[in-house]
Structures are given as structure tokens and as C-alpha cells.
Amino acid sequence: MADAKVIPFGEDRPRGPGDRSARRRTGRRRSTDTGGATGAGGAAGSGGPGGPDPGEPPLSAVPDGSGDGSGGAADPPAAPRGHGPDGWERRLAHGLAFLRRRVTGEYEVDEFGYDADLTEHVLMSALRPVYEKYFRVEVRGIENIPDEGGALVVCNHSGTLPLDGLMLQVAVHDNHPAGRNLRLLAADLVFMLPVVNELARKAGHTLACAEDAERLLERGEVVGVMPEGFKGIGKPFSERYKLQRFGRGGFVSTALRAGAPIVPCSIVGAEEIYPMVGNARTVARLLGLPYFPLTPTFPWLGPLGAVPLPTKWTIQFGEPIPTDGYAPEAVEDPMLMFNLTDQVRETIQHTLYKLLVERRSVFF
């Protein structure tokens, strides 16, 4: 079995609005508009045995990145969404093509372990039903994330388990007009857990440290950070939608060094999926966890108590706060750090209150 190709930072080909977004507009989104079914596989080539659906452009006309001059393999094709009698045949063909790439090693993994092919055709496909059908996420202001270049998305954190980060990743992946991916910064605990560690790396997550975040921003990636950390997801239900401390503003200095805009983001709906009414601190210390949640259903109902409540979510991206106009020495100004951190925090908090006022119900 061949090894996957590793892409050094310096050889990573440029990504822009004309790359994967063209495929999504002619593939996934077109079939979504016509009532197509979701597929889980991806293909390299000209489509499945059944051929393209009527009214769709031939797959050979879809850009595949082979002419970008980078010399690397093309981006993984968008997951197919066929419909009609031959839709399952196309999905099967795409799935077989995906398996072939995994066996032959014809896929790319960057220096952080991000596997775009696996994320596009497996992880996103697994998360999408939860995002669309279970939490029924509504996304607003996605255009505030720039079409190209680095950007730092700063978001509130809640929900006892970090499902909000995963739903945020799907929101950017599926809704941004330029087809951008969100690279989340995760806590050390994520990379200490078996299985979770590998999946997080392959999904594009990396350690929540200034060095990794700055490298990703300079590379032109969209980076997501939740400064509340465990204080946010582990707070009691009585403090829902009240932002916790944002640390010392490390995310601001990272954005300033990279000259990347800061995009405030507010999520409503995640607080109620696991109402945390208590914290078994002794159990948490024994297990080496920051907290051990007690909810109305967990641990009383066993594994069934781990099923989240089907709340209705809203994710709103605010207007970006530019940082490229500051002098290089601005990162050493503690007052500037405090002011920008407070501005981002207040923007997120105000938006949360606004969304809560507009919300009709927790579940509808």
C-alpha cells in the first residue's frame, strides 16, 4: 500500500474561490436545489456509470485543479448528490473511487495531519445529517468570512461536549461561497484521547497554541478558536449564554502578527443539548477530566443519557475586525490587546442576546 503524500507548507498550492467552490456549485449545491440525495463518496474522473443527470454540466467540464501549475494532485471531488434511477450508481462509483484512493495512497495530508479527502467524503458526510436534520442549523453572515486569505473566527463555546465546534466546521464547509474549510484549534485533552486524536487531526484540528495558529493564518487558512475553553463548555446550565473569561487575549496577538481579520461568531442552541445541572468533581479528578457533567439524563439513563437534545441552532458570523492596519509593535501593547479582546467578546455577547430575543423556541 502506497503512503499518502505529505505537503510541506512551502509547496502547498494556493486555494481560492475558483477551486472547490466551482465543483460544489455544479455538483452538491446544484443537486441540492433539485432535491438530490446526499452521497458519501467522491470520484476522480468523469462520473459514475449512469452518467450526469439531465440539466447538469458534464463532470469533465468541472475544474479539477490539474491545470493550476502546482504539480500536485487535484483536490478531492465534491461528494456527489445524485437523484433519479441512476443516482445510486453514481454514488457507488464515487465511493469506489474514494476507496481506490485510500488503498493506493492517492490523497494528500498536510504537516498538521489534515486529510482533505477523508474530511470531504467521510467526516463531513457523517456530520451533515446531524447538522441538517437533528440540530437544523441556520447560518447567517457567512459572507463575513473572506473568500481568500487568512481569517480568525472567534466563537463562544458551550454544550458540555464540544459539538458546537463540529457544527461550526460543517457550517463553514457547506455554506461559504468560496468553499472554505475551518481549521479548529483544540485543547490538549483532544489529542490525548485514543481515536479522537486521529480523527481530530484528519479533520484539520490542531493544538490551540499561538505558533500553530499563526502558521495556519499565514498560510491563508480560516482558523477557528473558542477562547472560553473548558470554562465555556463546562459551565452550569444556570449560566447559559453568559460568556466566560476570554483569557489574556492571545488570539488577538496571533491575528495581529498574521495581519488576519477577526470574525466574531455567536452560536445559539448548543447550551441546551446537555443541560449541566451538576459537576461530580471527585469523579472528574479520578478520570483526569476538567469536569464530570451531571444532566437530567446522564448518567442516570446510561448510554441513552449521552444523546443530545434536538435543539434548534443558529450560527451568526459578525462583521470582520481588521488587524492589518496596526504597526508590528502593536502586539506588545497590552492596552490594545485588552481593547480588541473586549471588543470581540462584547460583540459576541451582544449578538447572543439578540439571537435569544428573536428565538421562538429552544426546539423549533
Side-chain angles (χ1 to χ4, degrees):
M1 181 183 300
D3 293 330
K5 180 181 177 183
V6 177
I7 312 173
F9 279 120
E11 297 179 6
D12 192 19
R13 72 170 183 279
R15 298 172 54 198
D19 191 6
R20 200 185 67 223
S21 58
R23 284 192 297 276
R24 183 173 293 131
R25 285 193 296 270
T26 56
R28 177 182 176 271
R29 288 188 174 175
R30 177 181 295 274
S31 56
T32 300
D33 294 339
T34 56
T38 304
S46 60
D53 290 339
E56 292 186 354
L59 294 181
S60 59
V62 178
D64 62 2
S66 59
D68 60 1
S70 64
D75 276 352
R81 298 211 167 197
H83 66 281
D86 61 345
W88 68 270
E89 295 179 345
R90 294 200 299 139
R91 292 197 297 273
L92 177 61
H94 282 277
L96 292 175
F98 170 77
L99 292 176
R100 177 186 59 78
R101 291 195 299 275
R102 307 312 294 185
V103 172
T104 60
E106 296 177 9
Y107 59 93
E108 300 171 346
V109 178
D110 74 6
E111 292 186 4
F112 290 101
Y114 173 49
D115 189 335
D117 191 35
L118 183 71
T119 300
E120 176 77 25
H121 299 105
V122 177
L123 302 182
M124 287 294 114
S125 296
L127 292 172
R128 193 168 288 120
V130 180
Y131 171 90
E132 294 179 347
K133 305 298 183 183
Y134 198 77
F135 293 133
R136 295 147 290 147
V137 181
E138 176 187 354
V139 178
R140 305 177 184 178
I142 190 68
E143 67 279 358
N144 287 317
I145 298 178
D147 289 348
E148 56 186 12
L152 184 65
V153 177
V154 182
C155 187
N156 62 303
H157 206 11
S158 62
T160 305
L161 291 180
L163 297 183
D164 52 355
L166 299 177
M167 296 301 103
L168 182 64
Q169 190 174 10
V170 179
V172 175
H173 178 277
D174 284 5
N175 292 278
H176 197 278
R180 308 210 66 181
N181 285 312
L182 182 69
R183 306 292 296 271
L184 285 171
L185 303 181
D188 297 3
L189 179 61
V190 173
F191 301 104
M192 296 170 60
L193 299 174
V195 181
V196 174
N197 170 28
E198 291 297 324
L199 290 177
R201 286 289 185 187
K202 292 182 180 299
H205 304 177
T206 189
L207 192 64
C209 65
E211 292 78 10
D212 285 1
E214 190 173 345
R215 290 169 68 191
L216 286 171
L217 289 173
E218 291 175 347
R219 188 182 173 187
E221 300 281 358
V222 179
V223 179
V225 61
M226 296 172 169
E228 293 177 280
F230 290 121
K231 298 188 300 294
I233 57 175
K235 63 177 178 287
F237 188 66
S238 60
E239 298 180 15
R240 59 192 180 278
Y241 298 114
K242 296 178 181 178
L243 292 183
Q244 304 299 297
R245 187 169 173 266
F246 265 29
R248 298 183 178 88
F251 68 91
V252 172
S253 61
T254 300
L256 284 171
R257 287 190 176 93
I262 300 174
V263 181
C265 177
S266 303
I267 300 179
V268 164
E271 291 276 17
E272 295 89 0
I273 60 174
Y274 296 111
M276 185 169 164
V277 296
N279 180 13
R281 291 183 173 84
T282 302
V283 177
R285 284 195 297 269
L286 291 174
L287 297 177
L289 300 174
Y291 57 88
F292 188 85
L294 301 176
T295 75
T297 59
F298 182 83
W300 329 115
L301 299 183
L304 187 61
V307 178
L309 297 178
T311 58
K312 174 74 170 61
W313 289 31
T314 300
I315 300 178
Q316 178 160 333
F317 298 92
E319 294 185 4
I321 301 172
T323 64
D324 54 355
Y326 295 95
E329 58 271 16
V331 295
E332 306 298 333
D333 184 352
M335 186 56 66
L336 177 63
M337 297 295 105
F338 175 81
N339 289 338
L340 286 177
T341 301
D342 191 58
Q343 179 183 354
V344 175
R345 187 180 183 279
E346 288 302 314
T347 299
I348 296 173
Q349 184 69 83
H350 177 75
T351 304
L352 287 174
Y353 288 148
K354 180 182 177 182
L355 293 174
L356 288 172
V357 170
E358 295 176 353
R359 184 169 67 168
R360 297 180 302 165
S361 165
V362 173
F363 299 102
F364 303 103

